Amino acid sequence: MTTKMHSQRGATLLIALIMLVLLTLFALSAMNTGTTNLKVVGNMQARSEALGAAQQAIETVISSPLFISNPSNAVLNPCGTANTLCTDVNGDGTPEYTTKLTPQPACVAVKPIKVSELNLTVPEDLGCVAGQAQQFGVAGGVSGDSLCANAVWEITAETTGVDTSAKVTVTQGVGVRISIDEMATSCL
C-alpha cells in the first residue's frame, strides 16, 4: 500500500499546476478583452467628438454671412490658416480637434424670387421689392424677378484629431436668401 501512496502524490501536484495555468489563461483572456473594449469605446468617443466639432464648425460658418461674401475666408476667427477652426473639447486651453472647410463653401444652385411669390406683409420679403426700378415699357426688361434670390450652398467640414487618429468629414447643404448682387458675385 505504501507504494500506491507514493505514486499518487505527484498526480495531485500536476493537476493543481494545470488548473493554475488554465486560470492564468482565463485571466489573460479577460484582460485582453477588456483592453480591446476600452480601445473601441475610446475610438467611438474620439469619432463622436470629431463629428461634433465638424458640425459645430458648419453651424458657426452658417451663422455668419461671411461664407456668402467671402467663401475662401468664411471663418470669422480662424486658427492658423483661413477656413480653419480649432475645438477645445475638454476646456484645458489646447485644441483637441482641427476642422478645415475643404473645399471652401460653394453655391450649388440659385433661383431668383419672383415678386408675385413674395408676401409683402413680411419685412424680409418687403426688403426684396424696396427700391425696385420700374421696368415697364423696356423691351425685355420685365422679368418679374425681385431683388432677392434663394441660394443653396454646400459646406464640407473635415475634422482631424490632434492627438488621436479620428477623422470625420461632414457635408451639409443650407438654403439662404441672398440679394441679386450677391447672386451675381457668389453664385456663378
Side-chain angles (χ1 to χ4, degrees):
M1 263 210 194
T2 57
T3 59
K4 223 178 193 186
M5 283 179 84
H6 287 284
S7 66
Q8 289 182 357
R9 285 185 189 161
T12 305
L13 180 62
L14 185 63
I15 291 174
L17 286 175
I18 291 173
M19 293 300 283
L20 187 60
V21 168
L22 286 176
L23 285 174
T24 304
L25 289 176
F26 284 139
L28 285 174
S29 175
M31 188 176 77
N32 285 339
T33 302
T35 303
T36 303
N37 287 342
L38 187 62
K39 287 180 182 178
V40 168
V41 169
N43 289 339
M44 287 175 55
Q45 179 181 358
R47 184 185 182 285
S48 177
E49 288 174 349
L51 185 63
Q55 191 62 41
Q56 178 185 2
I58 288 175
E59 290 173 10
T60 300
V61 169
I62 289 173
S63 65
S64 165
L66 281 177
F67 79 95
I68 296 170
S69 61
N70 191 3
S72 63
N73 194 14
V75 177
L76 189 59
N77 293 317
C79 67
T81 61
N83 281 347
T84 304
L85 224 75
C86 293
T87 306
D88 179 15
V89 176
N90 60 10
D92 65 353
T94 58
E96 286 80 30
Y97 298 96
T98 303
T99 303
K100 178 121 178 96
L101 300 181
T102 181
Q104 70 183 22
C107 181
V108 294
V110 65
K111 179 183 174 208
I113 301 171
K114 300 290 183 191
V115 174
S116 60
E117 297 172 353
L118 297 173
N119 180 357
L120 300 181
T121 60
V122 176
E124 184 181 36
D125 284 357
L126 191 58
C128 292
V129 293
Q132 183 90 6
Q134 182 178 353
Q135 297 176 343
F136 298 112
V138 178
V142 180
S143 64
D145 292 344
S146 70
L147 298 175
C148 297
N150 286 326
V152 177
W153 287 77
E154 187 173 273
I155 302 172
T156 302
E158 186 176 282
T159 300
T160 307
V162 175
D163 296 329
T164 64
S165 60
K167 188 172 184 179
V168 174
T169 302
V170 176
T171 302
Q172 184 169 327
V174 61
V176 181
R177 180 173 283 185
I178 61 174
S179 70
I180 293 296
D181 294 336
E182 289 172 326
M183 181 179 90
T185 57
S186 299
C187 298
L188 303 174

